[in-house]
């Protein structure tokens, strides 16, 4: 889950330094495996419920029950005043959509963002769902966003920089004629919900400003990568509820998120789906 407090991070404003980033040991990685897997299992559980006529409020209730049944707690609930257990972002909603009574409709695309606290560790992940048969342009956007995340993950290893993640995501998305949202970023994670480093999903912003190399990755770092990719322009606005971010041009937006840890020779992804449901399949039209 991104936060409004992590918006518009730049090299001139960030407090990130190599020394400021928390490094975790083997016990923490073990805790993150359990928390990350449980968050992924929650998203797996919701798969069969994402269909026309179901409300996002119902999905939220199912997620809360799942957390309670597994002795976990949904981190977004009451976090900085957020009123629900998950974020549900539909169509042109970029992130932080608040579950409500409006039913899903055939052709919608939906991002569900889950963060569960298990034994003091935070598992944070999100993925896209197709509500029935969706338009081809929506399928393409989901494909591009998923691939952008995978390219970002492929960069994670000791000696690489967080700026390298943004560089590869930005280059791929722009080559596919899509834009990268700049207002929100990934973040450090582990024993706290949001920590350093900030993970930008671009290197050069829409103003042409290079954001710099960022932080050098070291074994023990844990963070999320969660690119938000738009079919239209990158610009977003926040609705009066203070949370829901939408595209200004009302074009579709998509997001995928995984939590990763830097290992001595690469990275570990803590939030892969146990059922292989990380990326949606599309219904025949």
């Amino acid at each position: 889950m991104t936060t409004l407090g992590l918006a518009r991070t730049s090299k001139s404003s960030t407090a990130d330094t190599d020394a400021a980033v928390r490094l975790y040991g083997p016990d923490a990685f073990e805790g993150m495996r359990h928390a990350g897997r449980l968050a992924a299992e929650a998203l797996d559980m919701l798969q069969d419920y994402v269909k026309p006529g179901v409300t996002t409020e119902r999905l939220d209730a199912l997620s809360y029950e799942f957390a309670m049944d597994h002795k976990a707690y949904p981190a977004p609930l009451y976090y900085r005043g957020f009123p629900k257990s998950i974020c549900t972002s539909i169509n042109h909603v970029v992130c932080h959509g608040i579950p409500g009574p409006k039913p899903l409709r055939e052709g919608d695309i939906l991002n569900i963002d889950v963060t569960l606290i298990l034994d003091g560790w935070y598992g944070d992940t999100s993925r896209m769902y197709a509500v029935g048969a969706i338009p081809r342009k929506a399928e393409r956007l989901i494909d591009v966003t998923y691939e952008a995340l995978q390219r970002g993950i492929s960069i994670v290893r000791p000696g690489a920089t967080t700026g390298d993640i943004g560089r590869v995501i930005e280059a791929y998305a722009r080559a596919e004629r899509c834009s990268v949202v700049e207002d929100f970023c990934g973040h450090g994670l582990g024993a706290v919900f949001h920590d350093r480093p900030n993970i930008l999903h671009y290197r050069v912003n829409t103003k042409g400003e290079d954001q710099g190399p960022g932080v050098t990755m070291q074994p023990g770092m844990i963070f999320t990568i969660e690119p938000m990719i738009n079919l239209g322009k990158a610009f977003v606005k926040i609705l009066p509820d203070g949370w829901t971010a939408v595209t200004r041009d009302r074009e579709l937006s998509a997001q995928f998120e995984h939590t990763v840890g830097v290992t001595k020779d690469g990275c570990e992804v803590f939030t892969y789906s146990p059922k292989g449901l990380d990326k949606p399949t599309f219904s025949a039209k």
Side-chain angles (χ1 to χ4, degrees), residues 18-201:
D18 292 1
V21 175
R22 195 184 313 240
L23 301 179
Y24 289 99
D27 290 346
F29 270 57
E30 184 62 20
M32 289 298 292
R33 289 184 192 107
H34 293 295
R37 181 182 175 91
L38 188 65
E41 288 175 347
L43 291 180
D44 287 353
M45 176 272 298
L46 293 172
Q47 179 73 47
D48 291 338
Y49 295 93
V50 177
K51 59 184 67 174
V54 175
T55 68
T56 51
E57 214 164 43
R58 171 63 171 151
L59 300 178
D60 181 76
L62 288 165
S63 300
Y64 180 82
E65 292 167 8
F66 179 90
M68 295 299 103
D69 289 344
H70 290 84
K71 297 181 171 56
Y73 187 81
L77 187 59
Y78 307 129
Y79 178 78
R80 297 186 180 180
F82 191 80
K84 297 292 185 177
S85 297
I86 59 175
C87 298
T88 51
S89 301
I90 304 171
N91 295 334
H92 73 292
V93 178
V94 176
C95 61
H96 299 160
I98 300 173
K102 185 177 179 180
L104 296 170
R105 299 181 300 176
E106 180 88 11
D108 285 342
I109 60 172
L110 169 67
N111 176 272
I112 302 179
D113 192 338
V114 168
T115 307
L116 294 181
I117 310 170
L118 180 66
D119 298 327
W121 300 103
Y122 288 75
D124 189 359
T125 184
S126 82
R127 72 179 73 144
M128 296 300 297
Y129 297 80
V131 183
I134 63 175
R136 178 67 191 103
K137 68 177 184 178
E139 292 182 2
R140 177 177 172 273
L141 175 64
I142 289 172
D143 286 341
V144 169
T145 308
Y146 181 80
E147 178 62 19
L149 172 60
Q150 297 308 310
R151 292 188 181 212
I153 291 172
S154 73
I155 291 296
V156 179
R157 65 180 67 87
T161 71
T162 54
D164 293 334
I165 296 172
R167 175 179 51 78
V168 298
I169 290 174
E170 173 193 29
Y172 174 71
R174 290 185 176 176
E176 294 295 326
R177 304 183 303 284
C178 294
S179 63
V180 181
V181 172
E182 298 174 4
D183 296 67
F184 304 96
C185 58
H187 53 90
L189 191 72
V192 295
F193 196 176
H194 295 96
D195 204 354
R196 298 186 178 99
N198 291 330
I199 306 297
L200 303 187
H201 303 113

Side-chain angles (χ1 to χ4, degrees), residues 11 13 16 19 27 55 81 84 106 135 140 145 149 173 195 207 215 218 228 240 243 281:
K11 67 176 181 178
S13 64
D16 287 358
D27 290 346
T55 68
K84 297 292 185 177
E106 180 88 11
R140 177 177 172 273
T145 308
L149 172 60
D195 204 354
K207 297 179 181 179
V215 172
Q218 304 175 61
M228 289 141 278
W243 282 99
T281 56

Side-chain angles (χ1 to χ4, degrees), residues 92-95 235-239 244-248 250:
H92 73 292
V93 178
V94 176
C95 61
F235 308 114
V236 309
K237 65 179 180 179
I238 308 300
L239 297 186
T244 307
V246 300
T247 57
R248 285 188 174 273
R250 297 189 66 84

